[in-house]
Every structure is written in structure tokens, then in C-alpha cells.
Amino acid sequence: ATAVLQTYGFTATMMVVTGFADFPDGWNMPWTQLTTLKASGAWNFQLHAGPKGHASTGLACTAFYACRLTGESAATYQTRVTGDISAGDTALQTKGLTTAASITFAVPWDDRGQTSTDTSINPWFSNYLASRFSVVFHQDWGYAVGANRRYRFEVHNDTTLAAFTTMLSNSKFSKAG
């Protein structure tokens, strides 16, 4: 993908789950590979989740950021969430992928607490994200298709290089247009 980005003059932003980079498994990239991508000049990096932020709680409400753990007070929940996000941001800076705090965040599983039975989660987490980040991305099932590809598209591990090249070479998804 780096060569294709360079050919078409694009820079991509990768949303990083720092816990995945700490323990790569063949599905996720290790820090060394992320650092190589950064050195190419074709990639920027922002935070998707800290060390535990993409993990499941094992509870009915499964998203780590969107659920209070059994017996966890609101204050402890808030400290856990802000601490994990801060740790992720620090890791990106320590590894040299960013030079300052992330300005964008992609909400894991698009769960801001709306699946929680605790009605205090969604307002607190949404307000925290809005105060901490300039831009917060939410999963937009089906939006990045058709004419909207000009503005955004998602690349996943099953996106082929040919499909990626086609996306970037489409005149509707161009810098000019």
C-alpha cells in the first residue's frame, strides 16, 4: 500500500491500537513495522485505542471504554478509561509515530456507552472524547461506499492491493476533486 500511496501522492492515516502493536499476532502490526511505515513518509498515525482499549470486558456490555466493570465506581471507571487512552497516546509518541498528543480518535466498536445499562457512561465518555480530541471518528456502517468514497474509505486486512489502487485512482477520490 505504501508504494501505491506514494505513486498517487497520498498520505494515509492509520488508527493504532497500541495494545495490538505490543503483542502482534499476524493480524496486527508490531511497532517495528509501524515505524517502517512512518519512515516512508506515506503514513501518519493517530490513536484508536490504548493498551487495553480494544479488549472485551467479558461482561454483557463488552466494550472496554463503554462499560463499568463489576463493582467499579464511576470515578474508577473514568480513571481507567482516561489512563488507557493517555497510555496509548504516550506509546505513539515514545515509539516516534507522533510528535504530539493525538488530535483524532476512532471509537472502538463505535461504542460510546450506548450499549451499557449505566446511563452515565455515554454522556461522560462522549463529553470526554469531545474535550480531549479535535475529531472523533465513529463507525459509519455503509457510509464509505459509492460517491462517499471521495471523502473516506476503510481499508482492512482483506482489502486487496488491486482494490486499494482502484480506490485511489478513481477520479471521484482525488486531491483535485
Side-chain angles (χ1 to χ4, degrees), residues 124-177:
W124 176 83
F125 191 43
S126 293
N127 287 331
Y128 167 71
L129 293 175
S131 68
R132 169 63 182 78
F133 299 98
S134 298
V135 177
V136 177
F137 292 104
H138 300 279
Q139 185 67 32
D140 198 345
W141 306 100
Y143 183 74
V145 296
N148 291 319
R149 285 193 185 272
R150 176 170 179 256
Y151 304 103
R152 170 181 171 245
F153 61 87
E154 293 188 18
V155 176
H156 297 275
N157 67 333
D158 60 350
T159 303
T160 65
L161 189 56
F164 184 61
T165 302
T166 299
M167 289 176 197
L168 290 180
S169 61
N170 183 332
S171 63
K172 291 182 179 179
F173 188 79
S174 71
K175 287 184 172 184

Side-chain angles (χ1 to χ4, degrees), residues 8 11 39 77 82 149 161 176-177:
Y8 290 96
T11 302
Y77 157 76
T82 59
R149 285 193 185 272
L161 189 56

Side-chain angles (χ1 to χ4, degrees), residues 12-30:
T13 299
M14 184 180 299
M15 307 305 287
V16 177
V17 178
T18 61
F20 292 169
D22 287 334
F23 302 101
D25 58 5
W27 174 272
N28 301 292
M29 293 181 197

Side-chain angles (χ1 to χ4, degrees), residues 31-55:
W31 290 112
T32 53
Q33 191 172 1
L34 294 171
T35 302
T36 300
L37 291 175
K38 174 72 175 173
S40 76
W43 294 90
N44 293 312
F45 299 88
Q46 292 289 301
L47 186 63
H48 182 36
K52 297 179 181 175
H54 221 280

Side-chain angles (χ1 to χ4, degrees), residues 64 67-81 118:
F64 184 82
C67 307
R68 282 190 8 202
L69 304 177
T70 303
E72 187 175 50
S73 70
T76 302
Y77 157 76
Q78 293 173 7
T79 299
R80 173 174 58 85
V81 169
D118 182 340

